[in-house]
Amino acid sequence: MLSIFNIWGTFNRVLFFLSLIVSLAGLAGNTLLLWHLGLRIKKGPFNTYLLHLAAADFLFLSCQVGFSIAKIVSGYEDTLYFPVTFLWFAVGLWLLSAFSVDCCLSYMLPSFCGPNCRPRYTSFVLCLVIWALTMLAVLLPANACGLLYNGMSLLVCLKYHWVSVVWLGVLASTACGASLFLLVFGNCCSSQLPPKFCKLAQCSGILLFFCRLPLVFYWCLRPVIKFLLPFFFPLATLLACIDSSAKPLLYYLKGRQLRKEPLQVALNRALGEESQSSSGGISLPMSRV
């Protein structure tokens, strides 16, 4: 029995330091991404989502690094660690869902849902609404269930938690469904090549399915999973850190055309203004927000 606890302790420490290393690397990548999207690339409706998503990932990884360093120094984990980090994680999940659905609608119905057919600043206003609503959707159940303070009301906790579970399930299903639809329809059922932003939505959906869903499951079934599978949360945290850290690399690989190409050129190609797609594809102008 003692050897089992030793193995578990070693495994937990390995996951902890792996998450810290991945988070530090992701912070560097998302800082560079924020600089390019915020200052170097003309903002359009799609890369507005990606700018806010990079900000959410940056905050998630920053909190991950900050709480990890505090744990190393103090020797114990702060009670605010999970609700605070999950808040920014949930913002990113909602932004991914909105980005995937917007790409899907613009690809399927360019005449009605394209960037030129919407009021200006629609994407920006929607992102601000997402930030505000996520604060309520995460902090209210976290407070009712005693994650922010010691007090806990069981009935209120169950009510708020049930609503948050449904909300997260809808968001995850929407993002995965839209990405899967773009993947299948764009590659198998359509003669038009998917625009670059649709390809980014496809890859982000794949990352979400494998790397973000475990932490969503943990939020939904936290008491059960914490008791039956104590190693699940450190593993889910590592996967979430990988997802938030991998996006800058994903954008670079999608924009790179030459084997050795400057980072700025590849990011500008992947995240900049979309021109007319090749092979008769649809046009998704990126000059409006």
Side-chain angles (χ1 to χ4, degrees):
M1 182 64 69
L2 185 60
S3 62
I4 294 177
F5 283 110
N6 289 335
I7 293 174
W8 154 242
T10 302
F11 182 67
N12 190 31
R13 285 192 294 272
V14 169
L15 292 178
F16 173 81
F17 284 105
L18 281 177
S19 298
L20 179 58
I21 293 171
V22 172
S23 298
L24 289 170
L27 274 179
N30 279 283
T31 300
L32 187 61
L33 189 60
L34 284 170
W35 183 69
H36 276 278
L37 283 170
L39 301 176
R40 303 298 298 272
I41 297 177
K42 189 175 182 180
K43 296 178 182 61
F46 294 106
N47 54 31
T48 296
Y49 291 120
L50 298 182
L51 173 62
H52 285 261
L53 178 58
D57 287 336
F58 178 85
L59 288 172
F60 170 73
L61 295 172
S62 297
C63 291
Q64 185 69 33
V65 170
F67 281 111
S68 297
I69 293 176
K71 183 178 180 180
I72 294 173
V73 173
S74 64
Y76 65 91
E77 186 173 278
D78 195 294
T79 55
L80 293 177
Y81 163 66
F82 179 58
V84 171
T85 54
F86 190 81
L87 172 62
W88 311 124
F89 173 86
V91 172
L93 179 62
W94 199 328
L95 289 169
L96 273 174
S97 179
F99 171 62
S100 300
V101 171
D102 202 343
C103 285
C104 189
L105 292 176
S106 297
Y107 181 46
M108 291 296 300
L109 304 169
S111 300
F112 299 97
C113 302
N116 286 331
C117 303
R118 68 184 75 183
R120 195 178 183 187
Y121 301 116
T122 300
S123 301
F124 176 74
V125 172
L126 180 58
C127 288
L128 293 183
V129 171
I130 287 174
W131 284 91
L133 291 180
T134 309
M135 299 279 184
L136 297 175
V138 173
L139 296 181
L140 285 178
N143 184 53
C145 296
L147 295 178
L148 299 180
Y149 300 100
N150 293 328
M152 173 181 173
S153 175
L154 181 60
L155 293 179
V156 178
C157 173
L158 291 175
K159 180 177 69 174
Y160 279 123
H161 186 67
W162 179 82
V163 173
S164 70
V165 167
V166 174
W167 162 71
L168 286 171
V170 170
L171 288 180
S173 301
T174 301
C176 290
S179 300
L180 180 62
F181 179 83
L182 286 171
L183 184 64
V184 174
F185 185 85
N187 294 313
C188 302
C189 306
S190 176
S191 58
Q192 297 176 341
L193 293 176
K196 287 181 294 187
F197 277 79
C198 290
K199 296 178 181 179
L200 292 180
Q202 293 170 1
C203 297
S204 298
I206 296 173
L207 272 176
L208 183 151
F209 183 81
F210 289 103
C211 296
R212 280 190 177 254
L213 285 186
L215 197 57
V216 173
F217 286 140
Y218 182 80
W219 170 269
C220 298
L221 302 171
R222 189 176 67 91
V224 177
I225 294 178
K226 190 175 182 180
F227 177 73
L228 296 178
L229 300 171
F231 63 86
F232 187 87
F233 178 62
L235 181 59
T237 300
L238 174 60
L239 291 175
C241 293
I242 291 174
D243 175 86
S244 297
S245 302
K247 292 187 184 67
L249 179 61
L250 170 66
Y251 302 157
Y252 171 73
L253 294 177
K254 282 296 178 182
R256 188 183 64 175
Q257 291 183 351
L258 303 176
R259 185 172 183 180
K260 292 184 178 181
E261 193 168 41
L263 177 62
Q264 180 179 341
V265 175
L267 286 178
N268 283 333
R269 186 180 297 116
L271 305 174
E273 187 170 344
E274 182 75 32
S275 59
Q276 182 75 17
S277 299
S278 59
S279 304
I282 62 175
S283 175
L284 289 182
M286 307 303 298
S287 58
R288 293 171 63 88
V289 177

